[in-house]
Amino acid sequence: MKRSAFLMSALAFGYAFLYAPIVLLVTWSFNESRVANIWGGFSTKWYGELWDNSEFLDAAWLSLQVAATSATAALGLGTLAALALVRFGRFHGRGLFSGLLAAPLVMPEVILGLALLLLFVALEDLIGWPDGRGFSTIVIAHTTVGLAYATVVIRSRLAQMDRSLEEAAMDLGARPVKVFLVITLPVIAPSLAAAWLLAFTLSLDDVVVASFVTGPGASTLPIEVFSAVRLGVSPQVNALGTLIVAVVAVIIVTGWWLAGRRAR
């Protein structure tokens, strides 16, 4: 009984540690007062002001565009990289290639952001591109980061896949491209979706790398939020965080519901 009580207490403490800040965020988003730690009554005015905040809205739209573009690029490149590592066996430079793919996983984001900034500055001086920092440089930086994670996810699924399915299709006369499209792609589709979502989330959440490779007029939402809270937590930031939590909760519940229906 004592052990059970201890485990339940530890579990309750863990959940409170994880979710109490989110509950406070949602609660204070309905605070009438502009001061974050003084309750001034229930109000939804900060959601209205958030809707009229063009800086947050523009930053959110830019973040979604960057995340979708970089996640799609990381998925395509990660799939090719995983196929090369799993299907091509040993080849010259395999170790270096694998190490370069894994480097963003262990490299500090500050170093990665600084390295990309120096690369873009050198390219601009050498060939005139990119002309300043903005959407394209952020996409390239986030693709570099997402590529490493996408490759790990897709590579693990390809390594576990039963290759006899592909071999049987080729024995029946199917060309490699058709085998990949008809056999391999449907089998690894869940890992492709997971890789895309992971790269999308990493891009949407990034502050450090984006702060190095962005420029005037191209602030992503995390950078805009970070700039807004440096002088104190704004109630609009609380409202924004509540909306993000609500969207994520709806997606998770929908996923559980669809998974439950499929299991039946």
Side-chain angles (χ1 to χ4, degrees), residues 55 58-59 62-63 65 133-135 138 214-220 223-224:
E55 294 180 355
D58 293 342
L62 177 65
S63 293
Q65 289 179 299
R133 263 67 67 192
F135 177 82
I138 302 174
T214 190
S219 294
T220 59
I223 294 178
E224 198 69 35

Side-chain angles (χ1 to χ4, degrees), residues 23-216:
V23 174
L24 290 175
L25 171 72
V26 175
T27 302
W28 289 113
S29 69
F30 296 100
N31 184 16
E32 172 73 24
S33 175
R34 183 176 292 273
V35 182
N37 58 351
I38 298 178
W39 182 257
F42 182 86
S43 175
T44 59
K45 69 176 184 179
W46 303 116
Y47 290 89
E49 293 192 10
L50 177 64
W51 182 256
D52 295 331
N53 192 327
S54 60
E55 294 180 355
F56 275 173
L57 294 179
D58 293 342
W61 176 238
L62 177 65
S63 293
L64 291 174
Q65 289 179 299
V66 169
T69 305
S70 61
T72 303
L75 178 63
L77 295 175
T79 302
L80 295 176
L83 285 171
L85 292 173
V86 177
R87 293 289 189 261
F88 291 177
R90 295 185 177 276
F91 54 87
H92 185 68
R94 175 188 172 91
L96 177 61
F97 180 65
S98 180
L100 291 175
L101 286 174
L105 297 174
V106 297
M107 186 179 299
E109 290 185 338
V110 174
I111 303 301
L112 183 60
L114 179 60
L116 289 169
L117 173 62
L118 295 176
L119 172 65
F120 293 140
V121 171
L123 287 175
E124 186 176 4
D125 293 338
L126 185 63
I127 62 175
W129 183 91
D131 186 13
R133 263 67 67 192
F135 177 82
S136 59
T137 54
I138 302 174
V139 168
I140 294 173
H142 286 182
T143 300
T144 303
V145 177
L147 169 62
Y149 290 88
T151 302
V152 170
V153 174
I154 301 171
R155 181 183 179 183
S156 63
R157 183 64 187 94
L158 282 173
Q160 297 172 1
M161 181 180 172
D162 186 4
R163 294 198 62 181
S164 62
L165 299 174
E166 298 173 324
E167 293 172 355
M170 287 187 288
D171 288 341
L172 293 173
R175 295 183 178 275
V177 175
K178 187 173 183 179
V179 171
F180 175 77
L181 295 176
V182 177
I183 304 296
T184 308
L185 200 60
V187 173
I188 66 173
S191 65
L192 296 178
W196 190 91
L197 290 173
L198 181 59
F200 182 87
T201 304
L202 290 170
S203 174
L204 204 62
D205 184 60
D206 176 68
V207 176
V208 179
V209 175
S211 64
F212 280 94
V213 298
T214 190

